Amino acid sequence: MSYDLMFRKANELYMDGALNQAEQLYRRILETAPENPDVLNMLGLVAEAKGLPAEAVDCFYKALKFSSHHLPLYFNLAVSLTSAGRLKEAADAYGHVLAMNDELKEAHNNLGGVYEKLGIPDKAAEEYKKALNIDENYLEAAVNLAALKKNTETLKQLSEKHPETSLPLYYLSRIERQSGNLQNANKYIKEAVEKEDATDEVFLTAGEIFLETGNRTEALNAFRNTLKLNPRCVPALVNLGTLTDNEEMLKNALNLEPDNAEARANYADLLYKQKRTLEALEEYHKAVILKPDMPQLSNNLALILKDNGEYEQALDLFLDAYFKNPQITDFSVNVAETLVLLHHQAPEQALKIAQSWAKAAPDNPFAVHTFNAFSGKDSEKTDADYAKALFDAFAGTYNETMKNIKYGVLDKIEELGIPFIGKILDLGCGTGLAGQKFHTAKNTFIGVDISQNMLNIARLTGAYQHLFCQDITKYLKNNNLKYDLVLALDVLNYLENFNELTGLLKPTPFLFTVENAGQNIKTHILMPNGRYQYNPDYIEKLLYHGGYDKIERHVLVLRQENGLDVAGTLFFAR
């Protein structure tokens, strides 16, 4: 086959999308004509089409050595340099294009995009305007200029004028998303993906917005459509791989971008979830090196170290995550939990770290409460703040956790056959486990809890007539209502002033649990884990003094903690 025939055949294959076959023919031609700029140019276009901009750039630079004034070569080079993130070089390449033909509107528009990415908005606007001066109906430049200026009215007008295109809608969704108006962003991107010209970038943005607005199914579809149009789109691979626990997708993302910290972190999360701890540890270490300022990475790496009993190293990383973003409650919870574990091994060291944390974060209820628990200080003033913060953070996993720790109180109550008739007040109702188990046609449940997140889940049970978000002591002081039974299950562990509570309840029948304190504790004690333990004899004495004369005590295992039984007492006072 002659050179011309081979070149024409390769071009046909390229146009048909048979990129690998086209590449093979172009390389065969290069074996006999290694300095042919046209063939090198086509090889560059093939590499760009395959999502390999770095290879494309090499081909275009080689071609320019043999054809230094070839305008299309410079244009193609500029496009690939932009794809490769080499923006200053891309601007220079577009400069060469425009030096040869200043009337090329596409070059002005693309150069505007490069300047925008470089953070030079004035130059970007200037180039978009130049493109529009050449062609006032050039839609892409008009949209880019309006988007740069965040001119939503112009974008809406362009969308109405050009109903066939997704471009104005895409930028409207981006602007609304950046402004925090996710509802509007969702509306515009939904319209954009319905257009025939919707690109992989449009579908990718749609997937991200759908995910942020809780539309998981739509997000999955959008990411799949992204990959249909661009199988090498790393953000789509990372998102879809993470959502579906698809290890192969996450590996593909890392093959394409080994230095992508998000891909590596998400892959590490998957490995950790699959209990492949050593592999996860290695991936987290790599991710932290790539992005040391990302607090979630420090936190996730610390979780593995904590599980392995390396509490000091874990605390260093948890605290690092906390101080980088103190607003994320999970970080505080993890610091507090790990301090408690360290306290079992090295109480003085744990106390010293807790003291430093409380001093650095005096408004953090976890820091203050943990330090108070370790040092035996009065914690009544911070109990409510601590409980609220803890259970707000704990709400999403509370029910599953209670199963895992073999919470035994509800089964014990059922075994005793205690009647639930009439109006029941559930103090510290949490996610509504008691109401869900004991609500019948013969009773009405009212729930009170300090955590709104817990109450949101309790509401879904349908077991409660009313739910109130309030500190339980304040609720009782402000509501002089009559009940047939009051519950406080796994609640007094977070309260110090039990005597005040009984004074507010008498003569209502009271069913509650306490954690049992050691024999040497006469009244109660704040434990290093942040919960109170009570001497059951002390509780019974307070009940008698409060006017209760029928008191049942039932010893039971409340739950398990670190694999050990937690002993408690179920009281039924009337």
Side-chain angles (χ1 to χ4, degrees):
M1 189 184 293
S2 70
Y3 162 86
D4 288 337
L5 282 174
M6 285 177 68
F7 190 64
R8 282 201 297 272
K9 179 62 177 175
N11 289 345
E12 287 173 11
L13 289 167
Y14 169 76
M15 295 301 292
D16 289 339
L19 301 179
N20 291 333
Q21 293 169 275
E23 182 180 358
Q24 287 176 0
L25 275 181
Y26 289 133
R27 293 199 180 280
R28 280 180 58 191
I29 296 169
L30 277 185
E31 289 174 5
T32 55
E35 298 180 358
N36 189 305
D38 294 327
V39 177
L40 288 166
N41 177 55
M42 291 308 300
L43 270 175
L45 291 174
V46 168
E48 180 67 28
K50 291 171 71 173
L52 302 168
E55 288 186 23
V57 167
D58 288 342
C59 290
F60 295 134
Y61 270 132
K62 286 177 183 175
L64 283 166
K65 288 180 182 179
F66 310 113
S67 184
S68 59
H69 298 289
H70 196 294
L71 186 150
L73 269 176
Y74 271 112
F75 190 93
N76 294 339
L77 172 63
V79 169
S80 291
L81 285 166
T82 305
S83 299
R86 294 159 64 174
L87 299 177
K88 289 183 179 179
E89 290 177 75
D92 289 341
Y94 280 123
H96 281 289
V97 171
L98 291 169
M100 290 183 252
N101 181 2
D102 193 46
E103 293 298 307
L104 194 62
K105 63 182 182 181
E106 292 83 2
H108 283 293
N109 177 67
N110 290 5
L111 180 55
V114 171
Y115 282 137
E116 198 170 340
K117 288 177 180 176
L118 284 168
I120 314 174
D122 292 343
K123 282 193 172 185
E126 185 181 334
E127 293 301 325
Y128 293 143
K129 287 175 183 176
K130 285 179 181 178
L132 287 168
N133 287 337
I134 296 167
D135 179 0
E136 63 180 10
N137 296 314
Y138 187 17
L139 176 63
E140 191 173 344
V143 168
N144 286 339
L145 182 60
L148 177 68
K149 300 292 185 182
K150 291 185 167 46
N151 190 331
T152 55
E153 287 306 312
T154 299
L155 287 170
K156 288 175 187 177
Q157 291 168 9
L158 289 168
S159 181
E160 290 173 6
K161 188 177 179 181
H162 302 275
E164 76 289 348
T165 183
S166 63
L167 203 57
L169 294 164
Y170 165 67
Y171 279 108
L172 278 167
S173 72
R174 284 184 52 173
I175 292 169
E176 294 290 356
R177 184 187 182 193
Q178 289 165 1
S179 302
N181 301 320
L182 284 179
Q183 188 174 353
N184 285 344
N186 192 62
K187 170 193 163 190
Y188 289 126
I189 204 67
K190 275 190 171 182
E191 293 179 44
V193 295
E194 295 298 322
K195 306 297 181 183
E196 288 188 11
D197 70 340
T199 63
D200 59 305
E201 193 172 355
V202 172
F203 279 110
L204 176 64
T205 300
E208 292 169 348
I209 291 173
F210 293 154
L211 205 54
E212 288 171 18
T213 53
N215 297 325
R216 179 188 167 92
T217 301
E218 290 184 75
L220 288 169
N221 289 334
F223 291 133
R224 288 186 181 113
N225 283 326
T226 305
L227 293 173
K228 283 179 185 176
L229 294 170
N230 179 6
R232 299 173 65 87
C233 179
V234 170
L237 286 167
V238 172
N239 277 296
L240 193 56
T242 301
L243 288 169
T244 60
D245 288 339
N246 189 313
E247 184 174 354
E248 199 58 39
M249 281 189 176
L250 292 170
K251 282 184 174 180
N252 287 345
L254 286 169
N255 286 335
L256 292 167
E257 292 184 14
D259 293 338
N260 187 306
E262 185 181 358
R264 204 160 284 286
N266 287 15
Y267 181 42
D269 289 344
L270 177 61
L271 293 170
Y272 180 53
K273 192 188 297 184
Q274 295 176 347
K275 303 190 184 304
R276 294 157 63 184
T277 306
L278 292 177
E279 293 174 83
L281 195 60
E282 183 181 351
E283 290 299 328
Y284 280 131
H285 275 301
K286 290 177 182 176
V288 168
I289 291 169
L290 290 168
K291 205 165 185 179
D293 294 331
M294 189 173 172
Q296 194 64 49
L297 288 177
S298 296
N299 178 75
N300 291 359
L301 177 56
L303 286 171
I304 294 182
L305 294 172
K306 173 177 167 250
D307 287 349
N308 289 344
E310 299 175 44
Y311 302 134
E312 290 180 60
Q313 292 182 52
L315 277 168
D316 285 343
L317 288 164
F318 281 138
L319 286 166
D320 176 68
Y322 168 77
F323 284 112
K324 282 174 181 171
N325 193 343
Q327 304 307 315
I328 297 182
T329 307
D330 282 353
F331 297 164
S332 294
V333 172
N334 291 336
V335 174
E337 286 181 349
T338 310
L339 277 169
V340 170
L341 292 170
L342 179 63
H343 191 272
H344 291 312
Q345 295 180 349
E348 290 185 10
Q349 186 180 3
L351 175 61
K352 191 178 294 185
I353 296 171
Q355 184 177 23
S356 298
W357 186 28
K359 186 176 180 180
D363 297 325
N364 185 310
F366 293 96
V368 175
H369 193 82
T370 302
F371 174 56
N372 288 343
F374 288 0
S375 57
K377 288 187 176 182
D378 172 29
S379 192
E380 186 178 355
K381 292 179 182 178
T382 63
D383 284 344
D385 291 339
Y386 169 73
K388 181 182 185 306
L390 177 67
F391 287 108
D392 274 343
F394 197 23
T397 58
Y398 182 80
N399 290 354
E400 187 63 30
T401 300
M402 297 305 270
K403 289 180 185 176
N404 292 339
I405 63 174
K406 300 180 180 178
Y407 181 61
V409 175
L410 301 182
D411 289 341
K412 182 67 175 179
I413 292 172
E414 186 176 44
E415 176 190 316
L416 294 170
I418 295 172
F420 283 77
I421 299 172
K423 197 172 183 181
I424 315 294
L425 178 63
D426 189 358
L427 296 175
C429 64
T431 59
L433 292 176
Q436 198 169 11
K437 189 170 185 73
F438 298 114
H439 172 60
T440 68
K442 294 181 180 180
N443 60 45
T444 299
F445 268 80
I446 310 297
V448 182
D449 201 279
I450 202 167
S451 166
Q452 186 60 55
N453 290 354
M454 298 286 262
L455 290 175
N456 291 341
I457 298 172
R459 184 170 286 107
L460 298 176
T461 68
Y464 292 82
Q465 186 180 58
H466 298 293
L467 289 165
F468 299 97
C469 185
Q470 199 170 353
D471 173 78
I472 61 174
T473 305
K474 288 180 181 177
Y475 175 84
L476 292 170
K477 285 180 179 178
N478 298 330
N479 294 274
N480 188 21
L481 304 174
K482 291 185 178 180
Y483 296 94
D484 296 293
L485 177 65
V486 174
L487 304 179
L489 306 178
D490 201 36
V491 173
L492 302 184
N493 315 330
Y494 302 95
L495 296 176
E496 182 179 23
N497 198 342
F498 177 80
N499 198 27
E500 182 180 15
L501 195 64
T502 57
L504 293 167
L505 289 174
K506 178 60 185 154
T508 308
F510 188 23
L511 181 63
F512 64 95
T513 57
V514 295
E515 286 187 25
N516 292 347
Q519 292 181 349
N520 59 326
I521 304 300
K522 294 182 178 180
T523 58
H524 64 285
I525 183 173
L526 178 60
M527 298 298 290
N529 61 13
R531 293 195 295 270
Y532 288 97
Q533 290 184 348
Y534 288 88
N535 182 322
D537 293 335
Y538 165 71
I539 292 291
E540 186 166 339
K541 188 182 297 183
L542 289 177
L543 288 169
Y544 276 123
H545 287 166
Y548 288 98
D549 53 18
K550 293 181 181 178
I551 302 170
E552 296 179 26
R553 285 169 56 167
H554 303 278
V555 177
L556 77 163
V557 174
L558 297 172
R559 63 183 176 278
Q560 288 192 331
E561 188 172 300
N562 298 322
L564 300 175
D565 290 344
V566 176
T569 302
L570 174 69
F571 282 90
F572 188 24
R574 289 165 285 174

